[in-house]
Amino acid sequence: MSKFSEYIGSQFGNPRGIVGKCCCIIMNVINKAMYRRVVLLVNLTKESNLLDIGYGNGYLLELIYKRYQPNLFGIDISQDMKLSAEKRNARALKDGKLNLILGDCCALPYDENFFDAVTSINTIYFWKDTMEGLKQIHRCLKPDGTFYNVVYAKEWLKKLSYTKKGYKFFEQEDFIEQGKQAGFSKVTIENIVKGKSFVVVYKK
């Protein structure tokens, strides 16, 4: 694995600087089918609370706000992305419905039973502790709340040059088993692009 590929892979996990901003724009393009599916699935109201884990430049939050106008929350490890996401979601920020913080999903600073829905697109590969992250999400979801975990298939990810270091790989069965261990009552999988991407739906 070249140093360049390794660097690009690290940018997808923690976008920073000019390169990080460019990587986020690329992700916005190649992940469009993922964003569209999540926007249709979340089914929110203006009173709903939604948390997006790894919000990046705020592209998904913008799409969700345009459709539902819920209360938007987000947690990400990149200061640069926080600034970009707030700029992109200026309307929600002005409306007092955007609350973005820096932090780690394995230590969510939110009350129990607070969110109607939690979303994550291509972040679980980078979590320090997968099980603890799932338990934290479960804790913060309201009864009957849902976590939408959107990912690329292990086989597809492994073909990419920049995923050789810093990425965790999961089989579909892993997501189901880990979700049950974390306390979710039901875990199902829906294909987005068969053989390439899917959404894992965790019901509290």
Side-chain angles (χ1 to χ4, degrees), residues 42-85:
V42 289
N43 192 26
L44 304 168
T45 70
K46 290 183 179 180
E47 289 72 41
S48 299
N49 295 329
L50 173 129
L51 172 67
D52 187 33
I53 293 173
Y55 50 77
N57 62 8
Y59 185 82
L60 175 62
L61 291 173
E62 181 184 25
L63 295 178
I64 289 174
Y65 196 71
K66 283 180 179 178
R67 187 177 181 98
Y68 302 107
Q69 292 84 53
N71 301 305
L72 297 176
F73 295 79
I75 188 166
D76 199 294
I77 60 175
S78 171
Q79 175 67 43
D80 290 345
M81 291 301 100
K82 182 176 184 292
L83 298 175
S84 294

Side-chain angles (χ1 to χ4, degrees), residues 1 72-73 83 110 114 116 130 134 141 143 146 149 156 161 174 176 185-186 191:
M1 181 180 184
L72 297 176
F73 295 79
L83 298 175
Y110 305 106
F114 184 72
D116 298 276
T130 308
L134 289 171
L141 276 170
T146 308
N149 181 27
W156 190 83
S161 62
D174 296 330
I176 294 171
S185 64
K186 185 178 181 182
N191 283 324

Side-chain angles (χ1 to χ4, degrees), residues 37 41 148-151 188-190 192 197-201:
R37 180 61 65 85
L41 285 174
Y148 302 93
N149 181 27
V150 185
V151 295
T188 57
I189 291 177
E190 299 180 20
I192 297 175
S197 59
F198 53 90
V199 54
V200 188
V201 182

